[in-house]
Amino acid sequence: MDKSSALEYINQMFPTEASLSGVEPLMQKIHGEIRRVDASILSAVRQQSNSGTKAKEDLADATRAVEELSSKIQEIKSKAEQSEAMVQEICRDIKKLDFAKKNITTTITALHRLTMLVSAVEQLQVMASKRQYKEAAAQLEAVNQLCNHFEAYRDVPKIMELREKLNNIKQVLKSHVFSDFSSLGTGKETEETNLLQQLSDSCLVVDALESSVREELVNNFCSRELTSYEQIFEGAELAKLDKTERRYAWIKRRIRTNEEIWKIFPASWHVPYRLCIQFCKKTRKQVESILVNMKEKPEVATLLLALQRTVEFEKELEKKFGGDVPTSDIGDDIEEIGTWENNSPNISKIRKKYEKKFAAGQESGENEKTGNKDLSAPGAGFNFRGIISSCFEPHLTPYIELEEKTLMERLEKVVHEETWDIEDGSQNNVLHSSTQLFSDIKKSLKRCSVLTKNQTLFNLFKVFQRVLKAYATKLFLKLPKGGTGIVAAATGMDGQIKVSDRDERVICYIVNSAEYCHKTSGELAEKVSEIIDPHYAEGVDMSEVQDEFSAVITKSLVTLVLGIETKFDNEMAAMTRVPWGTLDSVGDQSGYVNGINTILSGSIPVLGNLLTPVYFQFFLDKLASSLGPRFYANIFRCKQLSETGAQQMLLDTQAMKTILLEIPSLARQTSTAASYSKFVSREMSRAEALLKVILSPIDSVADTYRALFPEGTPMEFQRILELKGLKKADQQSILDDFNKHGPGLTQPSVSTAMRQPVPTTPAPPMAITNQATAAGFIANSEDVLTRAAALGRGAATTGFKKFIALTEAAKDRKDGPLRRLFNA
């Protein structure tokens, strides 16, 4: 330790003079410790010295041991080399003898096999000359195995000679077999009892020969069997379309008659299967020639009967030879079209099943095009489905024309017999004609899907589209004509619509039927796309037809709203005839309000019961957007309102608001009552605000109007002053003050608005008396329709979805072009 530390230590040990008496003992103790440490260090140094000497001695011993080991290894290596040289010298002659033995053994084996081959070839030659097929087959198998051992000696003259001789024997066997098989089917098999056994044995020889021999034999046999078929059905008597069924009867009878005889063929040859393939190919050529060379169009009954029998025959072949695809489920799936149950899970399962089926069929078709198929095994690469019937495809136009004619006649009949009413106890509220029409379509689809699933089925689908469009047109024409209001102007409906209670029910039935047709058309398209060949599936689309029915739904609901509007005409006229300027007291709600309540009480429960919640909500929104602004505009048609008259009209306005708010509960459809109530309150609040302006004092009327109507116009304010009964002179000063301060929001003047381009020129609705408001709407109608189309959802470009979008947009804004569209 350094001095400071030592000092601190000493001061700590001897803090006082009295403690110095312990210095001597401490010094003795320290000296003793120093001596012990010195002794320990000396001992360690001596031990280390001794260890270094011992380590050097051990290292020297190890070095000497390594040297001795190395010398011994060298000695052993030298002795090993000497031993190896000695062994090689001893075994030199033994190796020569071993190689010689191996060569002699190989030569003996080869000569032995050669002797066997020569003997076998000679025996095979004798068997071939005597037509001993069973023995020759076994011998031929042995000869082929022996020949495999001499592949390395192909260039040896003797081997070449034997191979040539063997090939000649095979040719002789082949010629004998083909010669014997030529008598099969000529009747000799019944005369010569051993002929069938001989032919059965000859099949063993054919299997022992090359595979090409078997193919040639089977093809020759099938061609010979079908020679009589070609001769019979190429004649003028049977070469007709109505005789097609007899072709299939011939081949089935031929197979059944010769079933026992054809057992001579091994099962692995699949002779009946190969025969049916050739029969189908020849039949297709003949039937196709008949169809092409017909001078006149065939009768549809004859054409369909021939096609039906052909399809049935193909199914029998599929069932007999494997690879059959069951089709019974297809008819069951078609029956599900148009059902009211939620069949989405079933459709999903069916789609997955048929996607696998069509994928397998498409893969099979691709293999057939590329030629990569094995016809030797049933179902391995050949599909009987459509092998003959596909030739009918280009000639089925008369069938499609007949189906279209039949469906159109059925459409006319069901529409003519339609009562336009629903039977008691019905839960769907759908017209009988719509369900009957789809029933006829399903039957037609089922008939066609059994016969073909290619171009003809696609053409029939086009017929379904035309028939459904025709039905949509008939529903459209059944609606009452005429109309009024801004919706009538936008849709081109002229005049008022007068509807009875029965008309209202019929319109509801048309809406439900059009919705049913819209939904079922989509199901029909989905079902056809599952059934039809995948090549045509992309073209199966019902969006145009669904647009037609959407347009019918839209037109029907608009007609319904306009019909209710027309019923309000008398009540609105009665409102203007009330002497509001001379009323002396405020009483109960006025008679016109009671009349409107009576109209709604009579119609709303029926409509709410017949329409679905979605369509009833649309109807309510349209009704509120029509009646609220119409009531507001009708106030301006009154001549003059006294303070008592304005108070009475304010009471009537509140009563109207209550009536409109009670409509959902009146119809027992309260699912959307909250949004509807908000909509009605906003609509009627404008009329209430207008009456509050009229009731305000003269000196504050401008401020009140400016506060309650920030978008008000000078023209409308002037009309309010007229309703208050002010004279022209009194009005001018108030108008000057109003114009000086300006309205809350600048509006385009009437002249400016009228100079703007107008996309359409329908007359403004009778309910709008404020010309500035009407002009503002006309100026922006093009923007309204453009935005309405953009708001439409789905594939439809016209129809009910667009009006739903318009309604939702109007409900979310206080004013603007969309708002004005639904305020009239």
Side-chain angles (χ1 to χ4, degrees), residues 160-203:
M160 293 176 63
E161 180 183 349
L162 285 174
R163 294 179 69 88
E164 182 67 25
K165 187 175 182 180
L166 179 60
N167 290 334
N168 293 334
I169 295 173
K170 289 182 178 180
Q171 289 297 326
V172 171
L173 284 172
K174 177 181 176 181
S175 62
H176 287 343
V177 170
F178 277 61
S179 175
D180 292 344
F181 267 99
S182 63
S183 61
L184 185 63
T186 59
K188 292 183 179 181
E189 61 271 8
T190 58
E191 299 174 1
E192 303 178 13
T193 56
N194 62 338
L195 178 60
L196 292 180
Q197 182 61 42
Q198 184 177 359
L199 292 177
S200 178
D201 294 340
S202 67
C203 292

Side-chain angles (χ1 to χ4, degrees), residues 367-497:
N367 291 338
E368 184 175 354
K369 291 180 181 178
T370 57
N372 297 327
K373 56 176 182 275
D374 179 16
L375 299 182
S376 62
F382 193 85
N383 187 7
F384 283 102
R385 194 68 56 87
I387 184 175
I388 304 175
S389 58
S390 58
C391 71
F392 286 85
E393 202 73 37
H395 308 279
L396 290 178
T397 303
Y399 163 65
I400 297 300
E401 294 174 350
L402 179 62
E403 286 285 358
E404 183 170 10
K405 179 182 178 182
T406 303
L407 287 175
M408 286 298 185
E409 290 176 352
R410 286 288 300 164
L411 174 62
E412 294 292 338
K413 181 179 179 181
V414 297
V415 172
H416 178 72
E417 295 176 353
E418 181 61 71
T419 60
W420 303 102
D421 202 353
I422 303 299
E423 299 179 359
D424 294 338
S426 177
Q427 299 179 353
N428 298 329
N429 293 327
V430 173
L431 295 172
H432 175 71
S433 58
S434 60
T435 56
Q436 186 60 44
L437 176 61
F438 275 100
S439 176
D440 295 335
I441 288 176
K442 286 189 287 186
K443 293 177 182 178
S444 177
L445 176 59
K446 197 171 183 179
R447 287 193 298 268
C448 185
S449 62
V450 172
L451 300 176
T452 175
K453 298 178 180 63
N454 297 307
Q455 182 65 46
T456 302
L457 181 57
F458 185 74
N459 294 339
L460 183 64
F461 177 75
K462 295 294 185 182
V463 171
F464 295 159
Q465 288 180 322
R466 292 192 289 271
V467 171
L468 290 172
K469 287 181 180 180
Y471 183 64
T473 301
K474 293 185 179 297
L475 293 179
F476 193 87
L477 295 176
K478 183 62 180 176
L479 296 173
K481 302 300 185 293
T484 186
I486 193 63
V487 176
T491 55
M493 303 168 65
D494 298 324
Q496 294 180 332
I497 295 181

Side-chain angles (χ1 to χ4, degrees), residues 50 55 102 116 300 309 314 384 415 431 594 600 745 747:
N50 295 333
K102 185 181 296 184
M116 294 174 60
V300 176
R309 295 294 181 261
E314 291 172 350
F384 283 102
V415 172
L431 295 172
N594 294 329
L600 293 176
L745 181 65
Q747 292 287 334

